[in-house]
């Protein structure tokens, strides 16, 4: 591949913008008259490569005519995954394509996929004059989940407000897509349980936790 250091701001891609429409993202940018083509690079947000390590099959050539016909660039959003796009300007010289290694953030943008929904319900069964009560936990997920994503927290006297507001317990099995009911457990009749993400904000980027 023929990479060349960009020397003129007139060759830069800039004003890169995104519009999300259902399961698609629509990208637009300023396209200089000096630029004949662009190469579009897409990667998972946590595996973005420097330009010198990008393989040719990771780049998509996109023409000005395609841009005009589509009024930008349209791509599907990959479920809950976060993606990163970088648009590299390109010129044709003596029959060869020269790619400019624009490395600032003007040609770069991140895309967040739609959040996967996780529904949970907690039901209690009290027995008269008994010190313990039974608890049934149900999890309904649109996608399979690793057991490490969720924990349940137990607290005496009231429902926990956060993962730090009580005693934390892990789940022992992964969650399939659809509804799964956990084995019943017994707790003190004055204790209460709630479900939380084990890693807080990190999972909250990808999932939405909803009580039923």
């Amino acid at each position: 591949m023929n990479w060349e250091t960009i020397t003129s701001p007139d060759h830069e891609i800039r004003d890169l913008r995104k519009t999300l429409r259902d399961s698609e993202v629509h990208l637009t940018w300023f396209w200089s008259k000096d630029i004949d083509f662009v190469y579009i690079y897409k990667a998972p947000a946590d595996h973005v490569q420097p330009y010198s390590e990008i393989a040719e099959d990771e780049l998509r050539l996109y023409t000005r005519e395609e841009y005009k016909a589509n009024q930008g660039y349209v791509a599907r959003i990959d479920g809950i995954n976060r993606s990163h796009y970088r648009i590299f300007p390109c010129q044709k010289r003596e029959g060869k394509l020269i790619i400019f290694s624009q490395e600032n953030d003007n040609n770069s943008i991140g895309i967040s996929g739609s959040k996967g929904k996780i529904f949970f319900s907690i039901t209690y069964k009290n027995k008269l004059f008994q010190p313990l009560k039974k608890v049934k936990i149900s999890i309904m997920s649109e996608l399979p989940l690793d057991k490490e994503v969720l924990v349940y927290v137990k607290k005496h006297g009231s429902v926990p407000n956060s993962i730090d507001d009580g005693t934390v317990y892990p789940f022992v099995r992964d969650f399939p897509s659809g509804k799964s009911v956990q084995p019943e457990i017994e707790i003190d009749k004055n204790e209460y349980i709630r479900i939380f993400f084990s890693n807080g904000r990190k999972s909250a980027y990808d999932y939405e936790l909803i009580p039923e």
Side-chain angles (χ1 to χ4, degrees), residues 58-192:
E58 295 180 282
L59 293 169
R60 175 178 175 181
L61 184 66
Y62 201 63
T63 67
R64 188 185 293 271
E65 289 71 26
E66 288 177 294
Y67 184 91
K68 289 180 179 178
N70 296 314
Q71 297 183 326
Y73 176 76
V74 179
R76 291 190 63 80
I77 297 174
D78 299 331
I80 65 170
N81 297 319
R82 296 190 300 277
S83 301
H84 191 88
Y85 284 86
R86 189 176 288 276
I87 315 297
F88 291 105
C90 184
Q91 282 184 339
K92 193 170 187 178
R93 296 181 191 164
E94 299 177 352
K96 293 183 179 180
L97 291 177
I98 306 297
I99 312 172
F100 291 109
S101 56
Q102 182 177 338
E103 296 182 81
N104 57 31
D105 291 332
N106 294 337
N107 66 332
S108 176
I109 199 164
I111 307 293
S112 294
S114 58
K115 290 186 177 184
K117 291 181 172 59
I118 305 170
F119 299 90
F120 71 89
S121 68
I122 300 169
T123 55
Y124 301 95
K125 292 181 181 178
N126 290 284
K127 288 188 176 181
L128 198 60
F129 307 122
Q130 294 294 318
L132 301 177
K133 61 186 176 184
K134 291 186 176 182
V135 184
K136 183 172 72 172
I137 299 174
S138 297
I139 305 290
M140 203 288 285
S141 174
E142 298 177 328
L143 300 166
L145 293 175
D146 190 288
K147 63 181 183 292
E148 306 295 336
V149 173
L150 301 176
V151 294
Y152 67 92
V153 177
K154 185 175 69 174
K155 181 182 178 183
H156 191 274
S158 63
V159 177
N161 291 316
S162 71
I163 194 172
D164 301 315
D165 188 27
T167 305
V168 178
Y169 295 88
F171 288 97
V172 297
R173 296 185 185 89
D174 293 339
F175 304 99
S177 59
K179 186 174 182 179
S180 59
V181 179
Q182 304 301 301
E184 283 188 337
I185 59 175
E186 287 189 328
I187 62 174
D188 186 271
K189 65 178 181 180
N190 293 317
E191 291 177 323
Y192 298 88

